[in-house]
Amino acid sequence: MGTGSGSGSESNENGWGGAGPGVVLKTLVVIGGAILLRRLTKSNTRWDHTRLVSRSLTGQKYSKEQAARDPDNYFNLRWLSCPAAEMVDGSKILYFEKAFWRTPHKPFRQRFFMVKPCPNEMKCDVELSTYAIRDAEEYKNFCDLPKDQRSQPEEVIGDVAEHLTTIYLKRCERGKRCLYEGSTPPDGFPNTWNGATYCTSELSVLKNNEIHSWDRGYDDAGNQVWGVKGAPYEFKPAPASSFVDMFPLNFPPQSMEKRIGGSLVLRE
């Protein structure tokens, strides 16, 4: 009796209370799994954010619905982006172009996006930078070409030219409609198009791969000299079959170019 009582006390002090070896093993497995999961989550989250934003940016999207609501300020534009290369550090390079939906083969804006995690010291999740393309003419309709006819990744990396802007994206707070949102720094980046001295960009990633994008240029006095003034452009994915059914927002190219103070920037 005395020996039995002493053994029970010792078992209780060790925290197992007489539990069998199977229970102990299961407990250790659960604890070990939780620790491993926490470590994996901590190390992978930054790149998970990057992959999610990259996927959301890719594809073919249109501002059709917004242009139907407010044709005086918004055009039906096509947003097209696709993976182009990956850097040694894992950063994703996407090719991006924007065009009027009726003339998708004539993009008026072409860029490279570089998507990567924010530096550890910054309070953001994803860093999205835009770069000029060394010979943009060669990349027209890059995403529409078969993969074996596109520039190879090493060529793409060599054609990344001048850095233009960087947007710092943060995961949206619970309850908000967006998944990620962010902007350039308040003082923006240098830009000289149409009398501007600097430009700013804002971007939101929403569910279902919807993108809201707002680019604006300002002069020395802080007056906006290009870009839409009311709200960002809203680009929503559209099935390829719906392309031929879109309503005719078919303004002559000359009138489009004159509406610089409204919603469009043809060159920067």
Side-chain angles (χ1 to χ4, degrees):
M1 292 290 292
T3 302
S5 176
S7 298
S9 175
E10 182 178 349
S11 177
N12 288 333
E13 288 174 2
N14 288 335
W16 300 111
V23 175
V24 173
L25 180 59
K26 289 181 180 179
T27 302
L28 291 174
V29 169
V30 171
I31 294 173
I35 294 173
L36 178 61
L37 179 61
R38 187 159 56 245
R39 288 180 177 176
L40 290 175
T41 301
K42 183 176 181 181
S43 61
N44 290 342
T45 294
R46 296 169 69 246
W47 286 105
D48 287 342
H49 291 313
T50 299
R51 284 188 286 269
L52 198 156
V53 169
S54 296
R55 286 197 300 268
S56 297
L57 292 172
T58 59
Q60 190 169 222
K61 313 172 196 296
Y62 295 92
S63 56
K64 170 187 173 182
E65 293 181 17
Q66 190 176 32
R69 295 195 310 267
D70 188 0
D72 291 334
N73 292 298
Y74 297 91
F75 296 103
N76 186 2
L77 303 178
R78 180 177 86 149
W79 165 302
L80 183 64
S81 182
C82 60
E86 184 170 321
M87 303 292 284
V88 176
D89 66 355
S91 301
K92 312 291 184 183
I93 297 180
L94 311 177
Y95 170 75
F96 163 75
E97 66 183 24
K98 193 180 289 183
F100 298 110
W101 78 273
R102 281 190 174 276
T103 54
H105 58 289
K106 296 179 180 180
F108 59 80
R109 180 180 295 178
Q110 296 172 262
R111 299 284 187 266
F112 281 134
F113 287 152
M114 186 176 293
V115 193
K116 60 183 179 181
C118 282
N120 289 329
E121 65 274 11
M122 295 190 65
K123 295 181 178 179
C124 57
D125 296 305
V126 179
E127 183 178 299
L128 172 62
S129 297
T130 60
Y131 290 84
I133 301 174
R134 198 170 304 282
D135 189 349
E137 188 67 26
E138 290 186 2
Y139 281 85
K140 280 187 176 180
N141 310 124
F142 175 88
C143 300
D144 293 322
L145 296 173
K147 289 187 178 181
D148 60 356
Q149 295 181 24
R150 300 178 185 176
S151 298
Q152 295 303 299
E154 58 273 15
E155 297 175 295
V156 170
I157 293 173
D159 287 332
V160 175
E162 176 190 5
H163 171 255
L164 301 173
T165 62
T166 295
I167 295 175
Y168 300 99
L169 296 167
K170 293 181 64 175
R171 181 77 181 179
C172 293
E173 297 177 1
R174 187 182 299 274
K176 296 190 71 171
R177 186 176 169 222
C178 61
L179 298 177
Y180 296 87
E181 63 181 354
S183 65
T184 52
D187 53 353
F189 288 88
N191 183 283
T192 58
W193 190 77
N194 200 46
T197 56
Y198 71 96
C199 67
T200 63
S201 294
E202 298 178 22
L203 188 133
S204 297
V205 176
L206 286 73
K207 295 180 180 179
N208 301 320
N209 296 323
E210 181 177 341
I211 298 293
H212 290 186
S213 176
W214 200 355
D215 301 323
R216 288 167 287 181
Y218 299 88
D219 61 19
D220 281 328
N223 300 309
Q224 185 176 340
V225 294
W226 60 255
V228 66
K229 294 184 177 181
Y233 259 94
E234 300 172 2
F235 292 96
K236 299 183 179 182
S241 60
S242 69
F243 181 76
V244 295
D245 300 325
M246 290 187 175
F247 58 89
L249 287 174
N250 187 23
F251 300 99
Q254 292 84 358
S255 67
M256 291 180 182
E257 294 181 17
K258 291 178 181 178
R259 291 174 58 184
I260 299 303
S263 59
L264 183 64
V265 179
L266 293 182
R267 296 170 53 202
E268 295 176 22

